[in-house]
Amino acid sequence: MFPTGGKVKDVHTPRICDVVWHNGKFIKWSDARVHVMSHVLHYGSSVFEGIRCYATKRGPAIFRLREHMQRFLNSAKIYRMDHEWTIDDFIEGSIELVRRSGLEQCYIRPILFRSLDEERPAFGVNPFPNPLACYIGAWDWGKYLGDEAIEKGVDVCVSTWNRLTPNSMPAMAKSGANYMNSQLIKMEALLNGFSEGIALDDRGYVSEGSGENIFVVSNGIVNTPPLSSSILAGITRDSVIQICRELGITIKERSIQRAALYIADEVFFSGTAAEITPIRSVDRITIGNGGRGELTTKIQKAFFEITAGERQAPGPWLTYVREQKARAADRETAGATENGRGSAVKKSGSSQNTPTMETELVARAGR
């Protein structure tokens, strides 16, 4: 049974990659299935990531891929999800997935979860008896808070739901279970006519949105809540901090009172899905001039120039998919040339072809 009415609005998904990376192999989207009794469905035992791939003149470019995958590994470590995949397995798998998708831009979703051993099923809270499964999917996803939101901003509310306390659920882990809290925040906001909700932490200070970090601009200073306010350490948040430093804008991490939102000059969200989205009102109180502010505009402009490959990033933030493929092909060619040298090698029968990206992934995943 599906809900009806205006409350179901979500981002339009025009295209989905028809293959999925699964435990080191590529399978059809339609074959990516989970048993209904899997541990993850009953107890929320999953960690995941959200990564954007942008269209550039040099082809599809994945934004801060290594940093996202490191956070993915960190989340798994916090939840004692011991596995044998490496960060390079996930990086190479994502690159190959985008290449196979044919999409110029997309959203990449790695997820690691506790599944079910059908021969020896375990149904209790104890997660250890359950095997791990890992998938990476991709689809073309639009602007998370709407196409107009990037320019005109969104109307948000302060949620009645607080963010989880740090010693109840670890905010540093991007886990599926944490997003039940996010769903409560999001649903409340939508039902009350807002695009998004802002949660406070257990002390009453500003934390973050249901799926976004938040920045508050006052008197030319950009402020953002610290990690101690039960926020996720956002990759886009970190990008905004570095962009501010590059632009000579003062940026501070500090605790922010709820009332500071109402009297701020500018407020904006950051996130992989939301990117840089201005906030024009909080609890129906207009922020600044009721639109995208001056500093938000500067930061947003720099961010989109970087993701389009038109501006030098503060670090190696873009992974160009086609160029990675070309480098892999160069390695294969070099390997084939090396294997072709000397008749003695051929006669001994020890000639060996350089493995492709896919066979390398399968081999590592099967260790």
Side-chain angles (χ1 to χ4, degrees):
M1 182 176 180
F2 294 93
T4 58
K7 306 180 186 70
V8 299
K9 181 180 179 183
D10 199 356
V11 182
H12 179 55
T13 307
R15 289 186 62 194
I16 295 173
C17 178
D18 62 0
V19 295
V20 173
W21 187 93
H22 174 226
N23 294 353
K25 297 180 181 180
F26 287 93
I27 63 173
K28 294 180 180 178
W29 173 277
S30 57
D31 291 335
R33 294 288 183 261
V34 179
H35 195 285
V36 71
M37 299 309 293
S38 292
H39 194 273
V40 63
L41 294 180
H42 298 263
Y43 302 107
S45 47
S46 70
V47 296
F48 69 98
E49 271 302 319
I51 311 166
R52 275 200 187 268
C53 177
Y54 288 90
T56 75
K57 292 179 180 178
R58 291 165 61 180
I62 306 174
F63 184 69
R64 302 197 71 175
L65 177 57
R66 182 165 290 274
E67 290 91 336
H68 278 100
M69 288 308 184
Q70 184 59 59
R71 188 174 66 181
F72 188 47
L73 291 174
N74 293 346
S75 296
K77 186 175 184 179
I78 290 169
Y79 276 98
R80 302 179 187 272
M81 292 180 166
D82 298 327
H83 58 85
E84 295 184 338
W85 296 297
T86 68
I87 190 170
D88 287 330
D89 291 332
F90 295 135
I91 287 172
E92 292 173 20
S94 299
I95 292 168
E96 179 66 7
L97 182 69
V98 174
R99 187 191 70 77
R100 292 181 179 223
S101 76
L103 298 171
E104 290 297 309
Q105 61 183 27
C106 62
Y107 183 90
I108 304 166
R109 169 58 56 82
I111 183 167
L112 176 70
F113 59 87
R114 299 192 187 273
S115 186
L116 178 75
D117 183 343
E118 295 188 40
E119 294 182 1
R120 284 176 266 179
F123 302 115
V125 173
N126 175 16
F128 291 125
N130 299 279
L132 293 174
C134 187
Y135 291 82
I136 307 175
W139 59 89
D140 185 356
W141 217 14
K143 302 301 181 187
Y144 184 62
L145 295 174
D147 291 333
E148 294 185 353
I150 295 297
E151 180 180 350
K152 296 183 178 180
V154 292
D155 301 308
V156 308
C157 64
V158 174
S159 179
T160 62
W161 296 98
N162 285 356
R163 266 302 187 212
L164 298 159
T165 60
N167 210 36
S168 296
M169 297 281 283
M172 289 186 69
K174 193 174 177 70
S175 67
N178 285 4
Y179 280 75
M180 289 299 287
N181 177 248
S182 294
Q183 288 176 52
L184 291 169
I185 295 165
K186 185 73 172 183
M187 289 188 293
E188 180 184 53
L190 293 175
L191 289 169
N192 287 303
F194 299 98
S195 296
E196 185 57 282
I198 297 172
L200 306 180
D201 65 18
D202 61 306
R203 304 166 301 160
Y205 289 104
V206 173
S207 180
E208 59 185 357
S210 71
E212 312 90 1
N213 293 116
I214 192 169
F215 291 82
V216 179
V217 182
S218 295
N219 300 318
I221 297 173
V222 179
N223 305 282
T224 192
L227 297 183
S228 58
S229 285
S230 292
I231 69 167
L232 179 70
I235 306 300
T236 309
R237 173 183 179 272
D238 176 71
S239 302
V240 170
I241 291 172
Q242 293 195 52
I243 287 170
C244 283
R245 290 170 180 161
E246 290 278 318
L247 296 176
I249 299 171
T250 303
I251 176 85
K252 293 184 178 181
E253 295 181 71
R254 67 177 186 85
S255 298
I256 299 172
Q257 294 184 27
R258 174 178 179 168
L261 296 171
Y262 304 140
I263 60 175
D265 299 321
E266 307 171 40
V267 184
F268 63 90
F269 282 134
S270 74
T272 295
E275 298 171 296
I276 311 294
T277 300
I279 296 172
R280 64 189 177 197
S281 73
V282 179
D283 292 337
R284 297 192 171 89
I285 296 176
T286 301
I287 305 303
N289 60 9
R292 182 172 54 186
E294 181 181 348
L295 289 186
T296 303
T297 301
K298 287 182 180 179
I299 295 165
Q300 190 187 71
K301 182 174 182 290
F303 177 80
F304 284 124
E305 285 175 349
I306 289 170
T307 57
E310 298 170 354
R311 182 189 184 104
Q312 183 67 41
W317 287 4
L318 295 181
T319 300
Y320 291 95
V321 172
R322 290 174 187 163
E323 294 175 15
Q324 294 295 319
K325 178 189 173 187
R327 280 196 283 271
D330 289 342
R331 287 195 296 269
E332 289 180 21
T333 301
T337 302
E338 185 67 28
N339 288 332
R341 290 176 184 168
S343 58
V345 173
K346 291 182 180 180
K347 289 178 181 178
S348 67
S350 61
S351 177
Q352 183 179 5
N353 291 326
T354 302
T356 64
M357 181 182 293
E358 182 173 354
T359 55
E360 286 176 357
L361 289 171
V362 174
R364 278 200 292 270
R367 283 182 307 185

